[in-house]
Amino acid sequence: MQVLKDEMRNRIYEAAIKEFSVKGFAKASMRDIAKGAGMTVGNLYRYFEGKEALFYGVISPAYDCLMELVGKSVEMVKYRFDTSFFEFLSEQILKISKEHKIELLILFEGSQGTKYERIKEEIVSVVENFLKGDLLRRFKEENVEIEDIYLLRVIAVGFVEGMTMINKKYENAEKLQKVAAQFIAFYFSDIQRRFR
C-alpha cells in the first residue's frame, strides 16, 4: 500500500533528521534510525540502500535550494551589488531556513565523511568571489585600495559562520528574518565606503 510506504518514509525521515542532527553523518547509526522509526534495520534497508543514501535523501532538498540560491546570486551580482541584492539574499536565506532549517544545519555541521563535507568551504568561496569580483572592480573605479585581498576571505568566513549561528539560534521565523536582515545589512551595506 502506497499510504503505508509514504507513512513509513516519513517516519524514517524524521528519525534520520534527529539522528543526523545530533550525531552527524559519521557517528549516526542505521540501527538507531531504524529504532527511532519503529522498524527493523533490515526493513530500513528496503527503503534506503545504506546510511549514505539516507543522508543524501534527507539533506538533498536543502542542498538543492542552497545551490539554486548560489546560481541566482551569481547572476544577480553581475548586474547589481547593492541594497536590492542584499534584500534578495536575506529573503532567500530565510526561505531556505524556513523550509529546511535542520537539514541546512546538518549539511553545514554534520556532513563529514560525505560528498558534502566541504559545502561550507564552498559557500565561503562563493561569497569571497562575489567580493573579489564586484567589490574590487568598484574599488579600482573609485581609487580605493585594500591592504590585502586575504581580508575578503576573512569577511566571507565571518559572514557564512554568522549566518550559520543565526540559523541555529532562532526558532521563530520572523525573528530569524529580522536578525538575518540586520546581519546582512551590517556586513555588506556601504561596504566600499567602509574600506576608505
Side-chain angles (χ1 to χ4, degrees), residues 13 17 55-70 92 95-97 99-108 116 119 123 167:
Y13 181 82
I17 284 279
F55 184 81
Y56 296 156
V58 166
I59 59 92
S60 286
Y63 177 80
D64 293 345
C65 288
L66 192 58
M67 291 301 99
E68 184 180 336
L69 172 58
V70 167
Q92 294 303 306
K95 181 181 174 200
I96 294 171
S97 291
E99 294 173 9
H100 306 290
K101 178 184 178 92
I102 297 169
E103 297 93 326
L104 196 58
L105 290 171
I106 293 168
L107 184 61
F108 274 20
Y116 299 117
I119 188 66
I123 299 301
N167 194 40

Side-chain angles (χ1 to χ4, degrees), residues 117-126 128 153 157:
E117 69 184 355
R118 293 190 37 80
I119 188 66
K120 200 182 232 183
E121 173 59 32
E122 291 171 22
I123 299 301
V124 166
S125 293
V126 167
E128 180 183 12
R153 177 152 194 80
V157 168

Side-chain angles (χ1 to χ4, degrees), residues 96-161:
I96 294 171
S97 291
K98 272 184 178 177
E99 294 173 9
H100 306 290
K101 178 184 178 92
I102 297 169
E103 297 93 326
L104 196 58
L105 290 171
I106 293 168
L107 184 61
F108 274 20
E109 299 186 335
S111 61
Q112 292 75 20
T114 74
K115 67 181 181 181
Y116 299 117
E117 69 184 355
R118 293 190 37 80
I119 188 66
K120 200 182 232 183
E121 173 59 32
E122 291 171 22
I123 299 301
V124 166
S125 293
V126 167
V127 174
E128 180 183 12
N129 289 333
F130 285 167
L131 295 172
K132 284 180 180 175
D134 192 70
L135 196 59
L136 290 180
R137 180 183 52 78
R138 289 183 188 201
F139 279 9
K140 199 173 197 177
E141 290 170 1
E142 299 173 15
N143 292 321
V144 175
E145 287 188 38
I146 185 166
E147 187 65 34
D148 190 335
I149 199 164
Y150 185 72
L151 181 58
L152 299 179
R153 177 152 194 80
V154 173
I155 291 168
V157 168
F159 175 70
V160 172
E161 288 297 334

Side-chain angles (χ1 to χ4, degrees), residues 1-20 29-41 43-44 47-48 54 58:
M1 287 190 133
Q2 187 62 34
V3 175
L4 288 177
K5 280 189 173 186
D6 290 343
E7 182 183 316
M8 188 57 72
R9 280 193 179 276
N10 288 337
R11 287 177 28 202
I12 294 167
Y13 181 82
E14 292 302 318
I17 284 279
K18 286 178 186 172
E19 181 78 0
F20 291 133
S29 148
M30 289 294 273
R31 182 174 309 286
D32 289 341
I33 292 169
K35 184 178 177 183
M39 64 192 324
T40 66
V41 176
N43 198 22
L44 177 57
Y47 287 88
F48 293 93
L54 178 54
V58 166

Side-chain angles (χ1 to χ4, degrees), residues 162-177:
M163 287 303 299
T164 302
M165 290 172 69
I166 289 167
N167 194 40
K168 195 187 288 188
K169 167 99 172 129
Y170 297 100
E171 294 296 324
N172 179 286
E174 187 177 324
K175 182 78 168 178
L176 181 110
Q177 180 181 21

